[in-house]
Amino acid sequence: MPPPADIVKVAIEWPGAFPKLMEIDQVLYTVVFGNHENFALQIADTTNFYITEKNRNDIKNGSILRLTTSPYLTASQLHERIQSSSMDAKLEALKDLANASRDITFAQEFINLDGISLLTQMVESGTERYQKLQKIMKPCFGDLLSFTLTAFVELMDHGIVSWDTFSVAFIKKIASYANKSAMDTAVLQRSLAILESMVLNSQDLYHKVAQEITIGQLIPHLQGTDQDIQTYTIAVINALFLKAPEEKRQVSQLYEMSHILAQKQLRSVILTVKRYPQPHAHHDEMAHQLYVLQVLTFNLLEDRMMTKMDPQDQAQRDIIFELRRIAFDVECEPNSGSMEKRKSMYTRDYKKLGFINHVNPAVDFTQIPPGMLALDNMLYFARHHQDAYIRIVLENSSREDKHECPFGRSSIELTKMLCEILKVGELPSENLRTSTREQIMRALTVKPNSLDQFKSRLQNLSYTEILKIRQSERMNQEDFQSRPILELREKIQPEIMELIKQQRLNRLCEGTCFRKISSRRRQDKFWYCRLSPNHKGEVPHDSLQDKLPVADIKAVITGKDCPHMKEKGALKQNKEVLELAFSVLYESDEYLNFIAPDKHEYCVWTDGLNALLGKEMASDYTKSDMETLLSMEMKLRLLDLENIQIPEAPPQFPKNLQYYNLVYHL
């Protein structure tokens, strides 16, 4: 017959004795110990939680318990000890209180003794008495305050006491600790945690905290290297930003926040924070806080995103005039000429700028989203990237082909799409983290053919998925960065390069048809060229007599340096032709000029010719081949082939098969 479910076999330890194995009845325990004034059982691990009616079922066979004083008695003793006149005794008591306060059963008893008020009084006035001794016993003072604030944080985290009960003096004292960059690290961390909780849990406390500390005062804490301090600092910034009253979101306080958040100084600090190597727990919390900060920053754009342009507003119309002025280098025309002529001129330019409504482009910005945000982005791009802006406008103003990309329409749609991707206007989620830039970059690497494919790829690239990709990439990188692996790569590399060289030369022996361009830049015929099998001469064809000995070749020239690209009118050649051109210099001033049919053939021939001359094969194609073949060879050589017999000859393929519907099992 199995033992009753409530009976468990545990080891119980107590001071001055060895642990004793015994059976206890979980139900009977709660009757005997649950309300005992002097004794109780704790889980003997790092938590030291008391066994109660709520968690008694967590006791399993083999658990180790500790017989100790009851929560009430422990709380009473600590309540008395932290008021000791002895600095050492007080310090030890506060350390014990900080550890014990993690248990909700103890916390309830200590709070019932008005323990929270006692701690706040110590912070408000009691510590001032010890600050006089700070110079001669600074470590002791820092520990004293640190344990006091730690106990306070642990007690408040149980949600038993309301945050609205604290005085202005206490808030000022905590804020003063957070404002000091030279403060003890543990004290600063606890102070930041308290400020975050105050702001998030009480609208009244938000106002009081906001009067004592600003986002600008918090930024220096991000410039250190302590990851906990950085995380809590960003958490406080987020809390102040998130809890700003609705009526203030359109006035100076919020705009002051947005101005600080937009500063390059803060952005550079945050980028530095993200580069620090962090343990997993720190990384997760930091990632979430940075995600919240990003969402709140993007939400500053919501007002402009949801604002329609007023076609009658002259200030808004002036922005469109500025876009026209920058693109076409024109000033506002005087009131000369007929009205119809001026309208026609404006309409022509607005069409070149790519607006849908050529007569009144302001109408294009009445759709929300993206509203005025699209116009803001266009003006920023025109002012800060003027050359690129002018080039885009001029290149697309006269194109009617499938590659047309009107600047105005494209900018509006792109802004709208980004607002959807970045979820502008939505509140941050409690359990999300983000890496938006990486999501977008990875989604673009697959070269989506439409916006729908791009959005679908983004949805699949969740934060969890990106973490998996990062982990896989990191593992591969770490595996291939050890010293023995690097030495093996270095040893194999010449073999791979020789293999690539032979492939290039074999390809040159097969030959290629090159196109000829006449002096009028009109493609009129092809010519054939190949390398002789003995690698000593290039010939157009075996049946032709034109030959060029490899020994006579002096150099290989590429791109705009080629003679046939320098001829009169060659500057009109498009970029694609320049990228495919190469020439062979032989004798003194003689050239054999080529225009490859595509980039692949260009790389094959320039690599092959350089190999013949004993020079480096430096094309992108060679680099890609080297990485692919080297990776494959490394993986093959690192395979675990222990106790695996490798046949000396390949298996024979069956002859005279009547059908080839072969079946295999994975």
Side-chain angles (χ1 to χ4, degrees):
M1 182 176 179
D6 294 328
I7 302 298
V8 291
K9 295 181 179 181
V10 298
I12 299 181
E13 61 182 24
W14 58 87
F18 291 105
K20 185 176 181 180
L21 185 63
M22 60 180 62
E23 293 184 352
I24 64 170
D25 188 323
Q26 293 175 323
V27 177
L28 183 60
Y29 165 79
T30 58
V31 175
V32 176
F33 282 98
N35 299 312
H36 201 284
E37 294 184 359
N38 299 322
F39 300 104
L41 288 177
Q42 284 180 326
I43 300 175
D45 59 12
T46 56
T47 64
N48 293 326
F49 287 167
Y50 283 99
I51 304 298
T52 65
E53 175 64 28
K54 293 183 178 179
N55 65 1
R56 65 179 176 84
N57 290 325
D58 293 339
I59 304 175
K60 307 298 182 184
N61 286 318
S63 298
I64 301 177
L65 307 181
R66 180 184 298 114
L67 182 64
T68 186
T69 54
S70 67
Y72 170 77
L73 186 58
T74 304
S76 300
Q77 292 172 349
L78 284 174
H79 191 275
E80 182 179 349
R81 288 172 56 200
I82 63 175
Q83 301 180 70
S84 171
S85 58
S86 168
M87 180 69 73
D88 292 336
K90 181 188 286 287
L91 182 62
E92 193 64 30
L94 286 169
K95 182 178 180 180
D96 292 341
L97 177 62
N99 291 327
S101 297
R102 292 176 296 174
D103 181 73
I104 190 172
T105 308
F106 167 85
Q108 184 68 68
E109 297 294 345
F110 188 79
I111 291 171
N112 290 342
L113 296 172
D114 209 15
I116 292 286
S117 297
L118 178 59
L119 292 177
T120 56
Q121 290 171 14
M122 293 173 63
V123 173
E124 292 173 19
S125 58
T127 54
E128 294 178 2
R129 180 161 59 94
Y130 302 108
Q131 288 180 9
K132 298 177 182 179
L133 304 175
Q134 187 174 0
K135 291 184 179 180
I136 59 175
M137 49 192 315
K138 184 175 180 180
C140 184
F141 170 77
D143 291 341
L144 183 76
L145 186 55
S146 171
F147 289 134
T148 303
L149 296 179
T150 300
F152 176 84
V153 170
E154 295 290 352
L155 292 169
M156 291 302 298
D157 279 349
H158 296 298
I160 300 172
V161 179
S162 171
W163 283 93
D164 287 309
T165 59
F166 300 108
S167 66
V168 175
F170 178 73
I171 298 171
K172 286 179 177 291
K173 184 65 68 173
I174 298 299
S176 70
Y177 297 147
N179 280 330
K180 295 178 182 177
S181 58
M183 179 56 65
D184 178 84
T185 300
V187 173
L188 178 57
Q189 179 183 331
R190 306 302 187 274
S191 299
L192 292 170
I194 292 172
L195 290 174
E196 181 199 9
S197 296
M198 284 181 173
V199 173
L200 292 177
N201 288 283
S202 171
Q203 192 66 38
D204 182 55
L205 287 183
Y206 159 78
H207 293 285
K208 296 176 181 178
V209 172
Q211 292 174 358
E212 301 298 328
I213 194 166
T214 64
I215 294 178
Q217 292 171 312
L218 294 171
I219 290 179
H221 297 323
L222 294 174
Q223 297 172 335
T225 58
D226 188 283
Q227 298 164 3
D228 286 329
I229 297 297
Q230 293 168 339
T231 301
Y232 279 110
T233 299
I234 296 178
V236 175
I237 293 175
N238 290 338
L240 289 170
F241 206 179
L242 190 61
K243 286 296 181 176
E246 193 66 33
E247 64 271 13
K248 290 188 177 182
R249 293 187 181 237
Q250 306 300 329
V251 294
S252 59
Q253 186 173 3
L254 190 60
Y255 281 112
E256 180 184 359
M257 290 184 181
S258 64
H259 175 70
I260 293 174
L261 291 175
Q263 290 179 357
K264 290 184 178 179
Q265 178 189 8
L266 177 58
R267 294 204 302 271
S268 63
V269 169
I270 290 175
L271 287 175
T272 303
V273 169
K274 291 182 70 176
R275 292 190 188 105
Y276 285 138
Q278 302 176 10
H280 182 71
H282 291 292
H283 177 76
D284 279 354
E285 181 60 25
M286 176 62 81
H288 175 70
Q289 293 299 338
L290 289 175
Y291 152 75
V292 173
L293 181 62
Q294 175 180 275
V295 171
L296 296 176
T297 305
F298 282 141
N299 285 353
L300 293 172
L301 306 174
E302 183 182 11
D303 180 58
R304 295 293 285 175
M305 181 185 73
M306 300 306 294
T307 299
K308 294 182 179 181
M309 184 171 183
D310 182 2
Q312 306 304 320
D313 188 315
Q314 187 59 42
Q316 296 180 0
R317 291 168 61 87
D318 286 343
I319 299 177
I320 298 179
F321 293 154
E322 177 72 359
L323 290 174
R324 175 177 176 267
R325 183 194 68 77
I326 296 174
F328 306 113
D329 195 21
V330 296
E331 300 294 338
C332 295
E333 285 76 11
N335 294 326
S336 59
S338 65
M339 179 66 72
E340 291 299 324
K341 183 177 180 180
R342 292 202 302 272
K343 283 185 177 180
S344 175
M345 181 173 53
Y346 277 106
T347 299
R348 178 200 64 200
D349 290 346
Y350 291 150
K351 182 178 180 180
K352 291 181 179 180
L353 284 171
F355 291 112
I356 298 176
N357 193 314
H358 305 154
V359 178
N360 187 6
V363 177
D364 289 14
F365 302 97
T366 56
Q367 176 190 5
I368 55 172
M372 288 295 293
L373 182 59
L375 188 57
D376 294 342
N377 290 340
M378 294 166 68
L379 182 62
Y380 180 90
F381 180 69
R383 285 178 173 173
H384 293 82
H385 305 278
Q386 193 170 115
D387 292 342
Y389 166 68
I390 294 173
R391 186 180 70 252
I392 291 173
V393 171
L394 296 182
E395 283 181 354
N396 290 280
S397 60
S398 59
R399 299 182 69 166
E400 297 295 339
D401 56 19
K402 62 180 180 179
H403 300 293
E404 182 186 17
C405 183
F407 176 72
R409 277 173 280 173
S410 300
S411 300
I412 293 172
E413 289 301 318
L414 183 59
T415 303
K416 181 179 179 182
M417 182 185 70
L418 287 174
C419 288
E420 294 176 2
I421 294 173
L422 301 175
K423 304 185 187 309
V424 176
E426 296 185 15
L427 290 176
S429 171
E430 282 297 322
N431 56 357
L432 284 183
R433 294 166 292 274
T434 190
S435 49
T436 306
R437 183 178 185 276
E438 186 171 357
Q439 286 176 305
I440 294 175
M441 295 301 294
R442 289 186 182 275
L444 290 174
T445 55
V446 299
K447 298 181 180 180
N449 296 322
S450 65
L451 286 179
D452 290 337
Q453 290 184 9
F454 176 62
K455 291 178 181 179
S456 175
R457 177 62 176 161
L458 280 177
Q459 291 175 354
N460 293 331
L461 284 172
S462 63
Y463 182 77
T464 303
E465 183 64 24
I466 286 183
L467 281 183
K468 292 179 181 178
I469 296 174
R470 285 177 181 173
Q471 184 178 9
S472 175
E473 292 175 346
R474 184 167 58 251
M475 290 177 64
N476 290 334
Q477 184 177 10
E478 290 173 354
D479 289 343
F480 283 89
Q481 292 302 316
S482 63
R483 184 175 177 180
I485 299 298
L486 292 177
E487 291 177 354
L488 180 59
R489 282 176 62 94
E490 187 176 350
K491 180 180 179 181
I492 296 175
Q493 220 161 357
E495 302 175 17
I496 302 297
M497 185 58 72
E498 182 62 27
L499 183 64
I500 295 174
K501 174 184 175 181
Q502 292 303 321
Q503 188 275 337
R504 298 293 191 268
L505 296 178
N506 291 339
R507 183 65 187 79
L508 263 60
C509 291
E510 295 177 8
T512 302
C513 282
F514 295 94
R515 48 180 174 155
K516 273 191 175 181
I517 295 182
S518 68
S519 58
R520 296 182 180 181
R521 299 297 173 211
R522 184 180 69 251
Q523 182 176 325
D524 51 3
K525 59 182 179 180
F526 291 89
W527 65 291
Y528 179 80
C529 187
R530 58 173 291 223
L531 176 68
S532 63
N534 61 6
H535 297 177
K536 293 184 178 180
E538 286 178 297
V539 297
H541 196 274
D542 289 345
S543 61
L544 301 179
Q545 299 301 316
D546 295 335
K547 296 182 180 180
L548 174 60
V550 172
D552 292 346
I553 299 178
K554 306 300 181 183
V556 178
I557 304 171
T558 61
K560 61 182 180 181
D561 295 328
C562 295
H564 56 315
M565 294 293 106
K566 290 183 177 180
E567 297 173 6
K568 185 177 179 180
L571 293 178
K572 295 182 181 180
Q573 289 286 349
N574 59 46
K575 185 179 179 181
E576 294 179 358
V577 173
L578 285 173
E579 291 179 346
L580 300 177
F582 64 96
S583 299
V584 173
L585 170 63
Y586 62 98
E587 294 183 355
S588 55
D589 294 325
E590 297 295 327
Y591 292 90
L592 189 60
N593 298 321
F594 297 81
I595 296 179
D598 52 48
K599 189 67 176 179
H600 178 270
E601 290 295 325
Y602 170 84
C603 292
V604 166
W605 274 85
T606 54
D607 282 343
L609 291 170
N610 281 322
L612 288 172
L613 298 177
K615 296 183 179 180
E616 180 185 3
M617 298 184 294
S619 72
D620 294 338
Y621 186 37
T622 292
K623 294 176 183 177
S624 175
D625 283 354
M626 170 61 74
E627 190 59 35
T628 300
L629 294 173
L630 191 57
S631 176
M632 291 173 59
E633 184 67 18
M634 290 289 293
K635 291 176 180 178
L636 286 172
R637 296 201 182 192
L638 294 175
L639 281 176
D640 184 6
L641 299 178
E642 186 177 358
N643 297 326
I644 297 179
Q645 294 183 354
I646 301 177
E648 296 181 359
Q652 293 184 355
F653 194 85
K655 298 180 179 179
N656 301 325
L657 287 178
Q658 296 180 356
Y659 60 90
Y660 291 87
N661 297 325
L662 304 179
V663 178
Y664 65 94
H665 296 282
L666 293 177

